[in-house]
PDB file of all heavy atoms in Angstrom:
ATOM      1  N   ALA A  25       0.667  -1.256  -0.046  1.00 51.00           N
ATOM      2  CA  ALA A  25       0.011   0.002  -0.005  1.00 51.00           C
ATOM      3  C   ALA A  25       0.883   1.317   0.076  1.00 51.00           C
ATOM      4  O   ALA A  25       0.423   2.359  -0.453  1.00 51.00           O
ATOM      5  CB  ALA A  25      -0.820   0.041   1.238  1.00 51.00           C
ATOM      6  N   HIS A  26       2.095   1.134   0.422  1.00 54.00           N
ATOM      7  CA  HIS A  26       2.957   2.306   0.553  1.00 54.00           C
ATOM      8  C   HIS A  26       4.118   2.131  -0.479  1.00 54.00           C
ATOM      9  O   HIS A  26       5.288   2.335  -0.155  1.00 54.00           O
ATOM     10  CB  HIS A  26       3.526   2.542   1.954  1.00 54.00           C
ATOM     11  CG  HIS A  26       2.390   2.689   2.980  1.00 54.00           C
ATOM     12  ND1 HIS A  26       1.670   3.862   3.003  1.00 54.00           N
ATOM     13  CD2 HIS A  26       1.921   1.914   3.823  1.00 54.00           C
ATOM     14  CE1 HIS A  26       0.831   3.885   3.906  1.00 54.00           C
ATOM     15  NE2 HIS A  26       0.838   2.721   4.454  1.00 54.00           N
ATOM     16  N   GLN A  27       3.832   1.765  -1.661  1.00 62.00           N
ATOM     17  CA  GLN A  27       4.933   1.642  -2.703  1.00 62.00           C
ATOM     18  C   GLN A  27       5.413   3.042  -3.113  1.00 62.00           C
ATOM     19  O   GLN A  27       4.673   3.928  -3.021  1.00 62.00           O
ATOM     20  CB  GLN A  27       4.418   0.870  -3.890  1.00 62.00           C
ATOM     21  CG  GLN A  27       4.146  -0.559  -3.647  1.00 62.00           C
ATOM     22  CD  GLN A  27       3.489  -1.204  -4.824  1.00 62.00           C
ATOM     23  OE1 GLN A  27       3.195  -0.424  -5.864  1.00 62.00           O
ATOM     24  NE2 GLN A  27       3.355  -2.502  -4.811  1.00 62.00           N
ATOM     25  N   PRO A  28       6.774   3.061  -3.452  1.00 66.00           N
ATOM     26  CA  PRO A  28       7.273   4.459  -3.796  1.00 66.00           C
ATOM     27  C   PRO A  28       6.546   5.184  -4.877  1.00 66.00           C
ATOM     28  O   PRO A  28       6.359   6.364  -4.801  1.00 66.00           O
ATOM     29  CB  PRO A  28       8.721   4.147  -4.201  1.00 66.00           C
ATOM     30  CG  PRO A  28       9.005   2.908  -3.565  1.00 66.00           C
ATOM     31  CD  PRO A  28       7.742   2.151  -3.376  1.00 66.00           C
ATOM     32  N   ASP A  29       5.950   4.459  -5.935  1.00 71.00           N
ATOM     33  CA  ASP A  29       5.295   5.035  -6.996  1.00 71.00           C
ATOM     34  C   ASP A  29       4.072   5.666  -6.572  1.00 71.00           C
ATOM     35  O   ASP A  29       3.707   6.762  -6.987  1.00 71.00           O
ATOM     36  CB  ASP A  29       4.995   4.025  -8.087  1.00 71.00           C
ATOM     37  CG  ASP A  29       6.108   3.366  -8.732  1.00 71.00           C
ATOM     38  OD1 ASP A  29       7.288   4.115  -8.750  1.00 71.00           O
ATOM     39  OD2 ASP A  29       6.162   2.453  -9.416  1.00 71.00           O
ATOM     40  N   THR A  30       3.355   5.016  -5.641  1.00 73.00           N
ATOM     41  CA  THR A  30       2.171   5.528  -5.227  1.00 73.00           C
ATOM     42  C   THR A  30       2.354   6.845  -4.292  1.00 73.00           C
ATOM     43  O   THR A  30       1.720   7.851  -4.461  1.00 73.00           O
ATOM     44  CB  THR A  30       1.304   4.504  -4.209  1.00 73.00           C
ATOM     45  OG1 THR A  30       1.328   3.312  -4.993  1.00 73.00           O
ATOM     46  CG2 THR A  30       0.002   5.035  -3.766  1.00 73.00           C
ATOM     47  N   GLU A  31       3.345   6.847  -3.542  1.00 75.00           N
ATOM     48  CA  GLU A  31       3.791   8.019  -2.643  1.00 75.00           C
ATOM     49  C   GLU A  31       4.163   9.096  -3.619  1.00 75.00           C
ATOM     50  O   GLU A  31       3.918  10.296  -3.314  1.00 75.00           O
ATOM     51  CB  GLU A  31       4.881   7.660  -1.682  1.00 75.00           C
ATOM     52  CG  GLU A  31       4.282   6.673  -0.600  1.00 75.00           C
ATOM     53  CD  GLU A  31       5.305   6.275   0.358  1.00 75.00           C
ATOM     54  OE1 GLU A  31       6.529   6.692   0.280  1.00 75.00           O
ATOM     55  OE2 GLU A  31       5.060   5.453   1.260  1.00 75.00           O
ATOM     56  N   ALA A  32       5.000   8.809  -4.612  1.00 76.00           N
ATOM     57  CA  ALA A  32       5.504   9.859  -5.494  1.00 76.00           C
ATOM     58  C   ALA A  32       4.346  10.526  -6.285  1.00 76.00           C
ATOM     59  O   ALA A  32       4.234  11.715  -6.379  1.00 76.00           O
ATOM     60  CB  ALA A  32       6.523   9.232  -6.412  1.00 76.00           C
ATOM     61  N   ALA A  33       3.423   9.671  -6.642  1.00 78.00           N
ATOM     62  CA  ALA A  33       2.174  10.181  -7.436  1.00 78.00           C
ATOM     63  C   ALA A  33       1.313  11.118  -6.574  1.00 78.00           C
ATOM     64  O   ALA A  33       0.894  12.160  -6.975  1.00 78.00           O
ATOM     65  CB  ALA A  33       1.348   9.107  -8.047  1.00 78.00           C
ATOM     66  N   ALA A  34       1.174  10.687  -5.297  1.00 80.00           N
ATOM     67  CA  ALA A  34       0.495  11.494  -4.345  1.00 80.00           C
ATOM     68  C   ALA A  34       1.144  12.726  -4.085  1.00 80.00           C
ATOM     69  O   ALA A  34       0.534  13.819  -3.976  1.00 80.00           O
ATOM     70  CB  ALA A  34       0.240  10.701  -3.006  1.00 80.00           C
ATOM     71  N   SER A  35       2.519  12.593  -3.928  1.00 83.00           N
ATOM     72  CA  SER A  35       3.323  13.942  -3.685  1.00 83.00           C
ATOM     73  C   SER A  35       3.242  14.905  -4.784  1.00 83.00           C
ATOM     74  O   SER A  35       3.196  16.082  -4.668  1.00 83.00           O
ATOM     75  CB  SER A  35       4.744  13.610  -3.431  1.00 83.00           C
ATOM     76  OG  SER A  35       5.528  14.584  -3.176  1.00 83.00           O
ATOM     77  N   THR A  36       3.155  14.357  -6.040  1.00 86.00           N
ATOM     78  CA  THR A  36       3.147  15.213  -7.306  1.00 86.00           C
ATOM     79  C   THR A  36       1.818  15.880  -7.332  1.00 86.00           C
ATOM     80  O   THR A  36       1.745  17.006  -7.542  1.00 86.00           O
ATOM     81  CB  THR A  36       3.457  14.295  -8.528  1.00 86.00           C
ATOM     82  OG1 THR A  36       4.774  13.779  -8.447  1.00 86.00           O
ATOM     83  CG2 THR A  36       3.391  15.201  -9.700  1.00 86.00           C
ATOM     84  N   LEU A  37       0.793  15.099  -7.072  1.00 84.00           N
ATOM     85  CA  LEU A  37      -0.557  15.675  -7.014  1.00 84.00           C
ATOM     86  C   LEU A  37      -0.703  16.786  -6.103  1.00 84.00           C
ATOM     87  O   LEU A  37      -1.247  17.853  -6.329  1.00 84.00           O
ATOM     88  CB  LEU A  37      -1.643  14.524  -6.864  1.00 84.00           C
ATOM     89  CG  LEU A  37      -3.026  14.958  -6.768  1.00 84.00           C
ATOM     90  CD1 LEU A  37      -3.428  15.542  -8.162  1.00 84.00           C
ATOM     91  CD2 LEU A  37      -3.895  13.771  -6.479  1.00 84.00           C
ATOM     92  N   VAL A  38      -0.275  16.564  -4.804  1.00 86.00           N
ATOM     93  CA  VAL A  38      -0.376  17.483  -3.770  1.00 86.00           C
ATOM     94  C   VAL A  38       0.396  18.761  -4.196  1.00 86.00           C
ATOM     95  O   VAL A  38      -0.050  19.974  -4.011  1.00 86.00           O
ATOM     96  CB  VAL A  38       0.132  16.954  -2.445  1.00 86.00           C
ATOM     97  CG1 VAL A  38       0.396  18.028  -1.332  1.00 86.00           C
ATOM     98  CG2 VAL A  38      -0.708  15.994  -1.977  1.00 86.00           C
ATOM     99  N   ARG A  39       1.579  18.568  -4.756  1.00 87.00           N
ATOM    100  CA  ARG A  39       2.428  19.721  -5.189  1.00 87.00           C
ATOM    101  C   ARG A  39       1.730  20.502  -6.273  1.00 87.00           C
ATOM    102  O   ARG A  39       1.679  21.761  -6.196  1.00 87.00           O
ATOM    103  CB  ARG A  39       3.850  19.249  -5.563  1.00 87.00           C
ATOM    104  CG  ARG A  39       4.761  20.350  -5.808  1.00 87.00           C
ATOM    105  CD  ARG A  39       6.196  19.899  -6.098  1.00 87.00           C
ATOM    106  NE  ARG A  39       6.382  18.603  -6.778  1.00 87.00           N
ATOM    107  CZ  ARG A  39       6.771  17.507  -6.053  1.00 87.00           C
ATOM    108  NH1 ARG A  39       6.909  17.545  -4.866  1.00 87.00           N
ATOM    109  NH2 ARG A  39       6.836  16.382  -6.767  1.00 87.00           N
ATOM    110  N   ARG A  40       1.169  19.814  -7.188  1.00 89.00           N
ATOM    111  CA  ARG A  40       0.492  20.582  -8.379  1.00 89.00           C
ATOM    112  C   ARG A  40      -0.680  21.281  -7.782  1.00 89.00           C
ATOM    113  O   ARG A  40      -0.985  22.351  -8.162  1.00 89.00           O
ATOM    114  CB  ARG A  40       0.094  19.408  -9.381  1.00 89.00           C
ATOM    115  CG  ARG A  40      -0.472  20.078 -10.650  1.00 89.00           C
ATOM    116  CD  ARG A  40      -0.631  19.113 -11.816  1.00 89.00           C
ATOM    117  NE  ARG A  40      -0.375  17.699 -11.406  1.00 89.00           N
ATOM    118  CZ  ARG A  40      -1.176  16.736 -11.838  1.00 89.00           C
ATOM    119  NH1 ARG A  40      -2.161  16.983 -12.613  1.00 89.00           N
ATOM    120  NH2 ARG A  40      -0.945  15.511 -11.456  1.00 89.00           N
ATOM    121  N   LEU A  41      -1.495  20.577  -6.919  1.00 89.00           N
ATOM    122  CA  LEU A  41      -2.667  21.269  -6.347  1.00 89.00           C
ATOM    123  C   LEU A  41      -2.332  22.460  -5.567  1.00 89.00           C
ATOM    124  O   LEU A  41      -3.046  23.445  -5.626  1.00 89.00           O
ATOM    125  CB  LEU A  41      -3.564  20.322  -5.678  1.00 89.00           C
ATOM    126  CG  LEU A  41      -4.296  19.250  -6.498  1.00 89.00           C
ATOM    127  CD1 LEU A  41      -5.017  18.177  -5.681  1.00 89.00           C
ATOM    128  CD2 LEU A  41      -5.282  19.847  -7.455  1.00 89.00           C
ATOM    129  N   THR A  42      -1.227  22.388  -4.802  1.00 90.00           N
ATOM    130  CA  THR A  42      -0.814  23.611  -3.961  1.00 90.00           C
ATOM    131  C   THR A  42      -0.437  24.730  -4.954  1.00 90.00           C
ATOM    132  O   THR A  42      -0.805  25.902  -4.656  1.00 90.00           O
ATOM    133  CB  THR A  42       0.457  23.024  -3.109  1.00 90.00           C
ATOM    134  OG1 THR A  42      -0.067  21.946  -2.298  1.00 90.00           O
ATOM    135  CG2 THR A  42       0.843  24.146  -2.235  1.00 90.00           C
ATOM    136  N   GLN A  43       0.326  24.379  -5.970  1.00 92.00           N
ATOM    137  CA  GLN A  43       0.676  25.489  -6.729  1.00 92.00           C
ATOM    138  C   GLN A  43      -0.535  26.138  -7.501  1.00 92.00           C
ATOM    139  O   GLN A  43      -0.667  27.365  -7.660  1.00 92.00           O
ATOM    140  CB  GLN A  43       1.665  24.915  -7.948  1.00 92.00           C
ATOM    141  CG  GLN A  43       2.933  24.506  -7.497  1.00 92.00           C
ATOM    142  CD  GLN A  43       3.812  23.823  -8.535  1.00 92.00           C
ATOM    143  OE1 GLN A  43       3.357  23.367  -9.513  1.00 92.00           O
ATOM    144  NE2 GLN A  43       5.130  23.702  -8.232  1.00 92.00           N
ATOM    145  N   GLN A  44      -1.525  25.259  -7.917  1.00 94.00           N
ATOM    146  CA  GLN A  44      -2.815  25.719  -8.563  1.00 94.00           C
ATOM    147  C   GLN A  44      -3.544  26.609  -7.503  1.00 94.00           C
ATOM    148  O   GLN A  44      -3.992  27.680  -7.937  1.00 94.00           O
ATOM    149  CB  GLN A  44      -3.608  24.625  -9.037  1.00 94.00           C
ATOM    150  CG  GLN A  44      -4.829  25.041  -9.701  1.00 94.00           C
ATOM    151  CD  GLN A  44      -5.706  23.748 -10.188  1.00 94.00           C
ATOM    152  OE1 GLN A  44      -5.234  22.619  -9.925  1.00 94.00           O
ATOM    153  NE2 GLN A  44      -6.781  24.073 -10.784  1.00 94.00           N
ATOM    154  N   LEU A  45      -3.568  26.248  -6.276  1.00 93.00           N
ATOM    155  CA  LEU A  45      -4.288  27.031  -5.282  1.00 93.00           C
ATOM    156  C   LEU A  45      -3.554  28.325  -4.964  1.00 93.00           C
ATOM    157  O   LEU A  45      -4.282  29.437  -4.944  1.00 93.00           O
ATOM    158  CB  LEU A  45      -4.320  26.127  -4.004  1.00 93.00           C
ATOM    159  CG  LEU A  45      -5.003  26.893  -2.746  1.00 93.00           C
ATOM    160  CD1 LEU A  45      -6.411  27.147  -3.036  1.00 93.00           C
ATOM    161  CD2 LEU A  45      -4.955  26.095  -1.516  1.00 93.00           C
ATOM    162  N   ALA A  46      -2.229  28.323  -4.949  1.00 93.00           N
ATOM    163  CA  ALA A  46      -1.512  29.535  -4.863  1.00 93.00           C
ATOM    164  C   ALA A  46      -1.784  30.488  -6.052  1.00 93.00           C
ATOM    165  O   ALA A  46      -1.867  31.755  -5.892  1.00 93.00           O
ATOM    166  CB  ALA A  46      -0.010  29.283  -4.717  1.00 93.00           C
ATOM    167  N   THR A  47      -1.767  29.985  -7.309  1.00 94.00           N
ATOM    168  CA  THR A  47      -2.027  30.830  -8.498  1.00 94.00           C
ATOM    169  C   THR A  47      -3.571  31.402  -8.323  1.00 94.00           C
ATOM    170  O   THR A  47      -3.677  32.607  -8.666  1.00 94.00           O
ATOM    171  CB  THR A  47      -1.972  29.899  -9.686  1.00 94.00           C
ATOM    172  OG1 THR A  47      -0.560  29.406  -9.731  1.00 94.00           O
ATOM    173  CG2 THR A  47      -2.277  30.738 -10.951  1.00 94.00           C
ATOM    174  N   GLU A  48      -4.533  30.540  -8.057  1.00 95.00           N
ATOM    175  CA  GLU A  48      -5.777  30.981  -7.881  1.00 95.00           C
ATOM    176  C   GLU A  48      -5.898  32.101  -6.777  1.00 95.00           C
ATOM    177  O   GLU A  48      -6.688  33.105  -7.044  1.00 95.00           O
ATOM    178  CB  GLU A  48      -6.769  29.884  -7.569  1.00 95.00           C
ATOM    179  CG  GLU A  48      -6.963  28.910  -8.741  1.00 95.00           C
ATOM    180  CD  GLU A  48      -7.614  29.485  -9.934  1.00 95.00           C
ATOM    181  OE1 GLU A  48      -8.548  30.340  -9.786  1.00 95.00           O
ATOM    182  OE2 GLU A  48      -7.213  29.242 -11.132  1.00 95.00           O
ATOM    183  N   ARG A  49      -5.241  31.991  -5.646  1.00 95.00           N
ATOM    184  CA  ARG A  49      -5.396  32.937  -4.545  1.00 95.00           C
ATOM    185  C   ARG A  49      -4.772  34.218  -5.060  1.00 95.00           C
ATOM    186  O   ARG A  49      -5.274  35.374  -4.818  1.00 95.00           O
ATOM    187  CB  ARG A  49      -4.506  32.508  -3.479  1.00 95.00           C
ATOM    188  CG  ARG A  49      -5.379  31.405  -2.620  1.00 95.00           C
ATOM    189  CD  ARG A  49      -4.711  30.999  -1.286  1.00 95.00           C
ATOM    190  NE  ARG A  49      -5.484  30.148  -0.527  1.00 95.00           N
ATOM    191  CZ  ARG A  49      -5.054  29.392   0.425  1.00 95.00           C
ATOM    192  NH1 ARG A  49      -3.745  29.494   0.769  1.00 95.00           N
ATOM    193  NH2 ARG A  49      -5.851  28.649   1.113  1.00 95.00           N
ATOM    194  N   ARG A  50      -3.549  34.262  -5.788  1.00 95.00           N
ATOM    195  CA  ARG A  50      -2.968  35.436  -6.339  1.00 95.00           C
ATOM    196  C   ARG A  50      -3.851  36.174  -7.327  1.00 95.00           C
ATOM    197  O   ARG A  50      -4.086  37.363  -7.180  1.00 95.00           O
ATOM    198  CB  ARG A  50      -1.655  35.089  -6.941  1.00 95.00           C
ATOM    199  CG  ARG A  50      -0.909  36.278  -7.531  1.00 95.00           C
ATOM    200  CD  ARG A  50       0.513  35.986  -8.192  1.00 95.00           C
ATOM    201  NE  ARG A  50       0.446  34.731  -9.037  1.00 95.00           N
ATOM    202  CZ  ARG A  50      -0.112  34.630 -10.301  1.00 95.00           C
ATOM    203  NH1 ARG A  50      -0.826  35.688 -10.760  1.00 95.00           N
ATOM    204  NH2 ARG A  50      -0.041  33.518 -10.912  1.00 95.00           N
ATOM    205  N   LYS A  51      -4.469  35.456  -8.183  1.00 95.00           N
ATOM    206  CA  LYS A  51      -5.388  35.960  -9.128  1.00 95.00           C
ATOM    207  C   LYS A  51      -6.543  36.648  -8.428  1.00 95.00           C
ATOM    208  O   LYS A  51      -7.093  37.710  -8.771  1.00 95.00           O
ATOM    209  CB  LYS A  51      -5.913  34.883 -10.240  1.00 95.00           C
ATOM    210  CG  LYS A  51      -6.792  35.319 -11.237  1.00 95.00           C
ATOM    211  CD  LYS A  51      -7.197  34.192 -12.197  1.00 95.00           C
ATOM    212  CE  LYS A  51      -8.036  34.674 -13.357  1.00 95.00           C
ATOM    213  NZ  LYS A  51      -9.391  34.824 -12.927  1.00 95.00           N
ATOM    214  N   HIS A  52      -7.069  35.887  -7.486  1.00 96.00           N
ATOM    215  CA  HIS A  52      -8.173  36.450  -6.716  1.00 96.00           C
ATOM    216  C   HIS A  52      -7.888  37.791  -6.067  1.00 96.00           C
ATOM    217  O   HIS A  52      -8.591  38.756  -6.063  1.00 96.00           O
ATOM    218  CB  HIS A  52      -8.650  35.547  -5.605  1.00 96.00           C
ATOM    219  CG  HIS A  52      -9.753  35.859  -4.699  1.00 96.00           C
ATOM    220  ND1 HIS A  52     -11.047  36.041  -5.129  1.00 96.00           N
ATOM    221  CD2 HIS A  52      -9.767  36.213  -3.369  1.00 96.00           C
ATOM    222  CE1 HIS A  52     -11.761  36.545  -4.207  1.00 96.00           C
ATOM    223  NE2 HIS A  52     -11.036  36.605  -3.117  1.00 96.00           N
ATOM    224  N   ARG A  53      -6.657  37.872  -5.403  1.00 95.00           N
ATOM    225  CA  ARG A  53      -6.240  39.156  -4.719  1.00 95.00           C
ATOM    226  C   ARG A  53      -6.086  40.248  -5.709  1.00 95.00           C
ATOM    227  O   ARG A  53      -6.399  41.346  -5.522  1.00 95.00           O
ATOM    228  CB  ARG A  53      -4.893  38.839  -4.060  1.00 95.00           C
ATOM    229  CG  ARG A  53      -4.935  38.179  -2.736  1.00 95.00           C
ATOM    230  CD  ARG A  53      -3.644  38.244  -2.008  1.00 95.00           C
ATOM    231  NE  ARG A  53      -2.475  37.689  -2.627  1.00 95.00           N
ATOM    232  CZ  ARG A  53      -2.146  36.285  -2.605  1.00 95.00           C
ATOM    233  NH1 ARG A  53      -2.829  35.559  -1.861  1.00 95.00           N
ATOM    234  NH2 ARG A  53      -1.107  35.908  -3.284  1.00 95.00           N
ATOM    235  N   GLU A  54      -5.573  39.885  -6.967  1.00 96.00           N
ATOM    236  CA  GLU A  54      -5.392  40.901  -8.029  1.00 96.00           C
ATOM    237  C   GLU A  54      -6.866  41.445  -8.490  1.00 96.00           C
ATOM    238  O   GLU A  54      -7.045  42.611  -8.687  1.00 96.00           O
ATOM    239  CB  GLU A  54      -4.700  40.412  -9.154  1.00 96.00           C
ATOM    240  CG  GLU A  54      -3.147  40.185  -8.870  1.00 96.00           C
ATOM    241  CD  GLU A  54      -2.482  39.322 -10.127  1.00 96.00           C
ATOM    242  OE1 GLU A  54      -3.190  38.955 -11.022  1.00 96.00           O
ATOM    243  OE2 GLU A  54      -1.266  39.141  -9.943  1.00 96.00           O
ATOM    244  N   ASP A  55      -7.702  40.525  -8.600  1.00 96.00           N
ATOM    245  CA  ASP A  55      -9.218  40.934  -9.091  1.00 96.00           C
ATOM    246  C   ASP A  55      -9.693  41.780  -8.027  1.00 96.00           C
ATOM    247  O   ASP A  55     -10.369  42.756  -8.263  1.00 96.00           O
ATOM    248  CB  ASP A  55      -9.989  39.636  -9.228  1.00 96.00           C
ATOM    249  CG  ASP A  55      -9.644  38.817 -10.445  1.00 96.00           C
ATOM    250  OD1 ASP A  55      -8.809  39.351 -11.279  1.00 96.00           O
ATOM    251  OD2 ASP A  55     -10.057  37.668 -10.585  1.00 96.00           O
TER     252      ASP A  55
END
């Protein structure tokens, strides 16, 4: 259940979603 591929995919997804959230927040502040 804790294979490195699974953890890496989860980590990549979290990182991508965190970046997307930061971008959306910045855009919201500008608006």
